[in-house]
Amino acid sequence: QLRLVESGGEMVQPGGSLRLSCAPSGSTLDYYAIGWFRQAPGKEREGVSCISKMGGSTNYADSVKGRFTISRDNAKNTVYLQMNSLKPEDTAVYYCAADYDPWNICRLSPNAMDYWGKGTLVTVSS
């Protein structure tokens, strides 16, 4: 059982930046691709970005390309989502999720994920 813990969510003004972190509790992320997903009130959960277990493959939703960057530091057992130029429509609960990854690819689909964190709230508002 892989337990994931997100951190870094808070309220920020439009145009601001945040960095979210995803780390496991008592385990390792070495075998997993990691995805970031978000869910705004009244909307379905959507994929934001994902990164393969070795970090060589990444994917981004069109809505965040050029603004968000996913990365991972396997030595620190942590995956990051750097979010720049934040917009009010980025407001959501952000979840990280893990997908067992034998092929070193990532799949930005909620149905592909094996484990989920409980989420961290990002609010973009003036």
Side-chain angles (χ1 to χ4, degrees), residues 58-93:
T58 58
N59 283 313
Y60 294 91
D62 288 343
S63 59
V64 306
K65 281 180 181 177
R67 300 188 297 123
F68 291 10
T69 303
I70 192 169
S71 62
R72 67 190 298 159
D73 185 337
N74 285 347
K76 294 183 177 180
N77 214 14
T78 303
V79 173
Y80 304 99
L81 184 69
Q82 178 67 43
M83 306 187 296
N84 298 329
S85 302
L86 283 161
K87 304 175 181 180
E89 52 263 42
D90 294 318
T91 295
V93 177

Side-chain angles (χ1 to χ4, degrees), residues 87-126:
K87 304 175 181 180
E89 52 263 42
D90 294 318
T91 295
V93 177
Y94 283 71
Y95 300 89
C96 73
D99 173 20
Y100 181 67
D101 178 22
W103 307 282
N104 199 28
I105 61 173
C106 75
R107 300 177 290 177
L108 194 55
S109 169
N111 293 334
M113 299 296 133
D114 300 307
Y115 302 100
W116 291 85
K118 294 184 177 181
T120 186
L121 177 63
V122 172
T123 303
V124 185
S125 175
S126 55

Side-chain angles (χ1 to χ4, degrees), residues 19-32:
R19 188 177 78 162
L20 305 183
S21 298
C22 172
S25 175
S27 186
T28 178
L29 296 180
D30 287 356
Y31 308 107
Y32 297 92

